[in-house]
Amino acid sequence: MLCFISFSSYSSQLLLLLLLLPWGTVLPALGAEEYCSAGPSIIDSTSQPLYWKATNPTLSPTHLQDLPGFTRSVYKRDHAIITPESQVFSPLPNWINTLGAYLITPAMGAHFTMYLAKMQDDSRSGLPPKNVERFLFVLDGSILLSNSSEMSHKLPVDSYAYLPANVEHMLKCRKSAILVIFERRYVSVNNASPEQIVSTTDKQPLLETPGEVFELRKLLPTSAPYDFNIHIMDFQPGEYLNVKEVHYNQHGLLLLEGQGIYRLGDSWYPIQAGDAIWMAPFVPQWYAALGKTRSRYLLYKDVNRDPL
Ligand code: UGY
Ligand code: MN
C-alpha cells in the first residue's frame, strides 16, 4: 500500500491503473483490430458473407444451451419448425467425410426430404436412391460437381444444381461446405425427362407476383418435366404475404436471411435465419417480415402433377 501512495503524478496513476486492470479489458482499447481481425463483428454484420446468418444464427446453440430444455422447434401434424439448436448431425449414408441433418422426411408425412450436408476436408457425396432426383444449394464454402458426361462445375455460395433421377454425379469438397438438399422420387409424365441444371440465384429473373409485394425468383424451369420447383422469396421489413395461403402443395422452407413471424395453422411463430419449416398440404400459411434487414427464404414446392 505504501508504494501506491508514493505515486503522485497523473501519468504514474494512469500506469498503475493499467497494471491493475485485467488484460482482457485493456487490450481491446489498445486496438482490437490488430489482435484478431478475423473474428465476427457484432456491430457491422453487413461485412459478413452472404447467408452467414443462416449458418451462424443470432441465438446460437451456445446461447440456448444456457437454458436447459428450451427449443423453438415444434413438430405438429401439419407443420414443423426445426431450429438450429435442435439439429442433429450424423454421418450421411454413402457420403464420405460428410455430416447430415435430416430436417424433413416422409416420416413426418412429407413426400420429399430436406437435409443439411456439412462437407468436410476431402469429402465426397453419395448418390440418391434409384429414381430419386436431387436439388442442392450451396450455403457456405464451395464444392465441385462432376458427372460422367460433362465438365466439372465449381459451385460457390448461392449457386445450385438440379440432378435428374438416376444421373450419375459426384460432389467433392476439399475444405468445407454446407449445402441444403432436397430429394424426392421423380414422378414422370408423358415420358418427358428433365435436364441437369447448374446456375446461381442472381442469374434468375424477378418474376411477376400479382397481388403480392415480395420478390420472387424460381430456380428451376416451370415446364412439365419438372415435378417441383425451388423459389427464392425476398421480403423487405414490414412486407407480408397478402394471400393467406391454403393449398394442396407441400413446402420445405429454409430462412436464409432476416426474421419475422410465420403463421402455420392457428399458431404464430417468431422465426429467424437458419430456421427450417415443413408445411403439409393445406396448412394455412402466412409470413410477415420484421427486423431491419431483408428476409429471404428458399422454398420447395411440388408442381405440375395431378394430385390424383
Ligand atoms: O408459392 C407459394 O406457395 C408460396 N408463396 N408460399 C409461401 O411462401 N408459404
Ligand atoms: Mn405456399
Side-chain angles (χ1 to χ4, degrees), residues 245 247 251 285:
E245 297 178 12
H247 51 60
H251 286 316
Q285 56 199 255

Side-chain angles (χ1 to χ4, degrees), residues 64-71:
L64 291 171
Q65 276 161 15
D66 293 343
L67 225 44
F70 174 76
T71 177

